[in-house]
Amino acid sequence: MVGRISSSKLVGSPAPAGAATTGPLANTSPESARAPLAIRFLHPPALAGRSQVLNRRVVIGRDPACDLVLEDETISRRHAEANHAGSAYAIADLKSRNGLSCNGVRTELGQIGPGSVVRLGDCVAVIYAHVPGDPGFSEVAPDLLGSHALRQVVELSRRAARSLATVLIFGETGSGKELIARLIHQTSARSGPFVPVNCGALPQNLVEAELFGHERGAFTGADQARPGLLRKASGGTLFLDEIAELPLTAQAKLLRVLEAREVLPIGRSEPVPVELRVVCATHGDLPALVSAGLFRADLYARLEGITLTLPPLRERKEDIPELFLRFVERYRPGSRPALSASFVEGLCCHDWPRNVRQLRQLAERLSTLLTEKTLWRKRDLRAALPELATLPPAAAGEPPGAHARARKPDRHAIEEALRMANGNVTLAAQRLNLSKQTLYTLIKQLGLDLAKLRDSNAPPREPADD
């Protein structure tokens, strides 16, 4: 049993919570803020979708008497127990045969929170905030796949589309800001075009001419009049991506467009009326840029009529494996590969700094390289994603590399690990966070007899992955 658990003994660190949202519409609802934690299994496929709310002591195992029964050969009869530890949650290994990992770290006792990745034997799960009635992973809008976190943003986007207010979308690179902007445009049923503009890609000396247009002869090289992107989007939606990259002079003119609904092309004395919906997006911290004088405060106040925040991929880990496989199917139609437990664990433990775009690129890369393979293992993931850490992440409060510098286990710990692994040195080394060679050296130094630590009635289980 977990019982009373000291926080100083807990291993593992939950993922950071999502950023708060400002403006009339917020991404986080009171229901989700108060939601209890739940565990959802993502692997193997036979167990995918199995979940259990962790609002009480929950015992997980193969025994029918367990609170969460998992019919998998790598799960012990009573494998692990989740429980409250004061205001925190923890999960403990109940001396299982194939062990417990939290966020890629083999442990006997781990702290868990939203986004924590848990592995029991070959069963991989994610801890998430439970929302009653959430149908789980699905296509929540065209080209937008996910569960509650994304579904919530989509619902707010559709509500925003029914108004004429300017929408400001915050989100990291590759999180799908343009897809949300397109959804707003399509839902609003505007008859004009959707015009996407990357403000950071506009030539600095031609920003105003590109956006607001110009008359013939307005400047050197202006051999003909051009309406500009704002007038091109008239009757539709103008999507200004990376709005923080817009120069201050252009920001002043954009504010005039938003307030007066008219644009003044370069070289023209009279403004031209324009009717359009403006959606802006940024991955930057606009309030900080306003404080630094790099972004106009009056424009920011005008833009934040309705503010949406897209969650980064690392904050919706329960979506990652299925989202990855959906991308694979685009590049390998009709040929979905099987993923090993370590592959799925690696996918979920990675931070994905470039978000969904990076996950899609990985799916394309592996689909191209592994055309003949039907089972993808973690070694394949590491080869295609070099930045994936080869060592498990440090536990909560530990600096990087802490595991490599950890004190060597004593004789009792080594004997117990070997006994639980039925004498299998590879599995015991994983349990102790040691290399196999290091464990062999310690076994020799301590004079341990592997044969005596093996159960003759139960052959050792070889690891399912590298």
Side-chain angles (χ1 to χ4, degrees):
M1 291 180 60
V2 173
R4 293 184 177 273
I5 300 174
S6 168
S7 61
S8 63
K9 296 180 180 179
L10 298 179
V11 178
S13 176
T21 307
T22 59
L25 293 180
N27 284 22
T28 55
S29 64
E31 291 77 9
S32 62
R34 296 191 300 267
L37 293 186
I39 184 169
R40 176 177 293 167
F41 282 85
L42 309 175
H43 182 87
L47 296 178
R50 290 290 305 279
S51 62
Q52 175 72 48
V53 177
L54 302 178
N55 56 4
R56 55 189 172 87
R57 174 176 173 265
V58 175
V59 177
I60 306 170
R62 283 193 297 115
D63 194 313
C66 291
D67 302 293
L68 178 57
V69 180
L70 301 178
E71 292 294 339
D72 186 89
E73 63 180 6
T74 66
I75 297 293
S76 298
R77 291 183 63 81
R78 287 169 52 85
H79 198 112
E81 175 183 296
N83 206 340
H84 288 280
S87 60
Y89 286 82
I91 188 167
D93 184 29
L94 298 179
K95 295 187 178 179
S96 67
R97 183 176 179 79
N98 293 315
L100 164 71
S101 295
C102 289
N103 299 324
V105 180
R106 185 68 67 127
T107 184
E108 294 183 357
L109 180 65
Q111 183 178 359
I112 52 177
S116 293
V117 180
V118 175
R119 179 174 173 181
L120 312 173
D122 279 348
C123 301
V124 183
V126 167
I127 307 300
Y128 70 105
H130 174 70
V131 178
D134 176 31
F137 186 91
S138 64
E139 186 174 33
V140 297
D143 293 322
L144 287 165
L145 299 158
S147 51
H148 178 73
L150 186 61
R151 186 174 290 106
Q152 193 175 29
V153 178
V154 167
E155 175 57 30
L156 294 176
S157 300
R158 287 177 169 145
R159 288 167 55 190
R162 295 193 287 267
S163 75
L164 294 177
T166 300
V167 178
L168 178 59
I169 305 171
F170 287 102
E172 295 181 4
T173 298
S175 58
K177 298 186 292 293
E178 183 171 339
L179 290 175
I180 291 293
R182 287 184 182 275
L183 176 65
I184 292 172
H185 171 70
Q186 293 163 0
T187 307
S188 67
R190 299 184 67 85
S191 60
F194 176 83
V195 180
V197 181
N198 187 329
C199 297
L202 293 173
Q204 287 294 306
N205 60 334
L206 294 175
V207 169
E208 293 186 35
E210 290 285 336
L211 286 177
F212 309 106
H214 59 82
E215 295 295 292
R216 181 180 178 182
F219 52 84
T220 303
D223 53 352
Q224 58 181 337
R226 293 187 180 276
L229 294 169
L230 277 89
R231 289 164 68 187
K232 181 180 178 181
S234 186
T237 301
L238 178 70
F239 174 53
L240 296 175
D241 196 9
E242 302 306 341
I243 186 69
E245 303 292 330
L246 203 62
L248 287 170
T249 53
Q251 291 178 29
K253 297 190 71 170
L254 177 61
L255 178 63
R256 176 66 181 173
V257 172
L258 296 176
E259 292 182 338
R261 298 291 166 177
E262 58 184 26
V263 58
L264 184 63
I266 298 174
R268 188 182 177 104
S269 58
E270 295 294 327
V272 179
V274 64
E275 192 283 313
L276 76 166
R277 173 70 172 274
V278 177
V279 177
C280 300
T282 181
H283 73 278
D285 186 345
L286 285 188
L289 293 175
V290 170
S291 299
L294 300 176
F295 198 87
R296 293 180 63 100
D298 48 3
L299 177 58
Y300 176 60
R302 187 67 178 77
L303 293 179
E304 65 167 353
I306 295 177
T307 303
L308 303 172
T309 300
L310 268 170
L313 190 57
R314 64 180 174 274
E315 291 182 13
R316 52 188 189 103
K317 291 185 176 180
E318 63 270 25
D319 294 342
I320 290 176
E322 184 61 30
L323 184 59
F324 173 77
L325 286 171
R326 294 289 185 96
F327 286 139
V328 169
E329 287 178 342
R330 293 185 182 181
Y331 305 110
R332 288 178 46 156
S335 178
R336 176 182 279 212
L339 306 179
S340 74
S342 292
F343 189 105
V344 174
E345 185 181 33
L347 281 180
C348 293
C349 286
H350 190 51
D351 277 344
W352 301 106
R354 295 182 295 284
N355 292 286
V356 178
R357 182 181 298 138
Q358 185 182 16
L359 186 69
R360 185 181 65 243
Q361 290 170 341
L362 174 68
E364 181 179 18
R365 189 178 308 130
L366 286 173
S367 297
T368 302
L369 298 175
L370 307 179
T371 54
E372 303 301 324
K373 294 192 69 171
T374 57
L375 173 63
W376 293 1
R377 299 181 179 275
K378 193 171 183 178
R379 67 174 74 97
D380 302 314
L381 180 61
R382 287 173 174 166
L385 194 65
E387 64 263 42
L388 186 70
T390 57
L391 293 175
E398 291 182 346
H403 295 295
R405 300 190 299 270
R407 180 173 58 87
K408 291 181 180 179
D410 58 21
R411 182 187 186 98
H412 174 75
I414 292 174
E415 287 181 335
E416 182 66 15
L418 287 166
R419 190 173 291 110
M420 294 175 71
N422 197 32
N424 185 303
V425 177
T426 299
L427 289 177
Q430 291 175 356
R431 188 180 295 273
L432 294 166
N433 287 321
L434 298 175
S435 70
K436 185 166 66 173
Q437 187 58 49
T438 297
L439 182 53
Y440 270 123
T441 300
L442 292 173
I443 291 170
K444 184 177 181 180
Q445 291 174 352
L446 296 170
L448 298 179
D449 187 346
L450 287 177
K452 292 182 178 180
L453 297 172
R454 293 192 178 107
D455 179 359
S456 59
N457 295 320
R461 174 183 169 272
E462 293 299 327
D465 208 344
D466 53 321

